Amino acid sequence: MTPDVGGESLDQAFRRARELEVSLGEQLRAFADDARRRRPEFAAAVDRLVEHLRQYGAGESAPQPGEPMPPFTLPGDAGHLVGLDQLLGDGPVAVTFHRGHWCPYCRININALAQAHSEIAAEGGQIVAIMPDRQKFVAELRSQSNVRFPILTDVDNGYALSLNLTIWVGAEMQKMMEGYRDLPTFQGNSSWMLPIPATFVVGRDRRIKARFLDPDYRKPVAIADMLAALRS
């Protein structure tokens, strides 16, 4: 994150929002409001991108509830491969997709998932997060956010692509992000592709029990709904 006018960086604004003793949605709104005040032109570009994605139904063709969740085998931050079938052997799984360790909204969401993890685990459920970042950046995120569930690297967005979850950020956003977000270094490629944030609750039979998906990455993950689906 970068310094901004008024003497406060977006990084400081992010930390302040994350530490607020309010709901996840309120934390995200607080940071979004700060970001819009500091970079209104960037926020407006995000609004245009989200509207474009909604118009074209981005993500709508991803697997639906009742359908089988396509299997995956992806590397974790320690280099070990983790597969969906392996996870389902221990109980239902919430498979969550995130844009990357560099995204403050993703960090706030991951932090909320980390706080909910103990309750989910106590009831026999699991969380696995998937993002396109290289493993060293994933390890950094897990350490900083004290995450105890797996965060897996989706190399070149291959798995997200197979689910019709991947988008190109577009020429306008790419130009605005260059110099602020080094996606080619973070992902190991120059595609400027990102997954649409999404959560799939998968039963032990590999059938999708619930799906939560929104092209607007500024929205919170549906933790309460995710918990209800895992319990069902």
Side-chain angles (χ1 to χ4, degrees):
M1 299 181 192
T2 55
D4 212 322
V5 294
E8 183 183 55
S9 69
L10 279 179
D11 193 40
Q12 290 170 316
F14 157 72
R15 288 197 298 270
R16 187 176 66 250
R18 188 180 61 177
E19 292 166 3
L20 290 173
E21 294 185 4
V22 295
S23 70
L24 172 60
E26 290 172 305
Q27 287 181 345
L28 290 169
R29 280 193 295 273
F31 180 77
D33 289 344
D34 271 339
R36 189 175 292 274
R37 283 194 296 270
R38 286 166 172 75
R39 294 191 67 195
E41 74 290 348
F42 187 85
V46 173
D47 292 341
R48 287 190 290 273
L49 175 61
V50 169
E51 179 60 26
H52 174 79
L53 294 174
R54 292 198 195 285
Q55 287 180 354
Y56 285 89
E60 289 182 2
S61 59
Q64 301 277 351
E67 297 178 353
M69 186 71 177
F72 62 76
T73 301
L74 299 170
D77 61 282
H80 302 298
L81 294 175
V82 177
L84 177 60
D85 290 339
Q86 167 193 346
L87 292 168
L88 290 174
D90 295 325
V93 181
V95 181
T96 66
F97 288 83
H98 307 267
R99 290 157 29 100
H101 81 289
W102 50 270
C103 172
Y105 299 92
C106 297
R107 282 178 172 262
I108 292 172
N109 276 315
I110 285 283
N111 186 62
L113 289 171
Q115 293 177 12
H117 177 253
S118 58
E119 180 181 353
I120 291 170
E123 297 184 8
Q126 304 169 82
I127 301 172
V128 60
I130 297 175
M131 60 182 61
D133 287 359
R134 295 160 60 197
Q135 289 159 279
K136 68 176 183 178
F137 300 111
V138 167
E140 174 189 317
L141 174 61
R142 286 193 79 230
S143 174
Q144 291 179 352
S145 298
N146 194 29
V147 174
R148 300 189 182 279
F149 52 81
I151 303 181
L152 309 181
T153 293
D154 187 13
V155 180
D156 295 336
N157 283 290
Y159 184 56
L161 276 167
S162 74
L163 303 183
N164 297 317
L165 273 182
T166 306
I167 61 160
W168 175 46
V169 300
E172 180 184 31
M173 287 299 302
Q174 179 177 333
K175 184 177 180 180
M176 298 185 82
M177 292 173 71
E178 287 174 340
Y180 292 95
R181 303 285 184 259
D182 189 4
L183 292 195
T185 294
F186 296 153
Q187 297 186 6
N189 63 65
S190 56
S191 67
W192 288 86
M193 303 283 281
L194 290 172
I196 295 173
T199 297
F200 300 85
V201 177
V202 185
R204 297 190 71 168
D205 59 357
R206 202 150 55 79
R207 295 279 173 180
I208 297 170
K209 302 169 73 174
R211 184 187 83 166
F212 311 100
L213 184 153
D214 196 320
D216 190 344
Y217 62 84
R218 298 167 296 189
K219 300 294 180 63
V221 294
I223 292 180
D225 294 335
M226 181 186 76
L227 278 165
L230 284 167
R231 289 174 180 139
S232 69

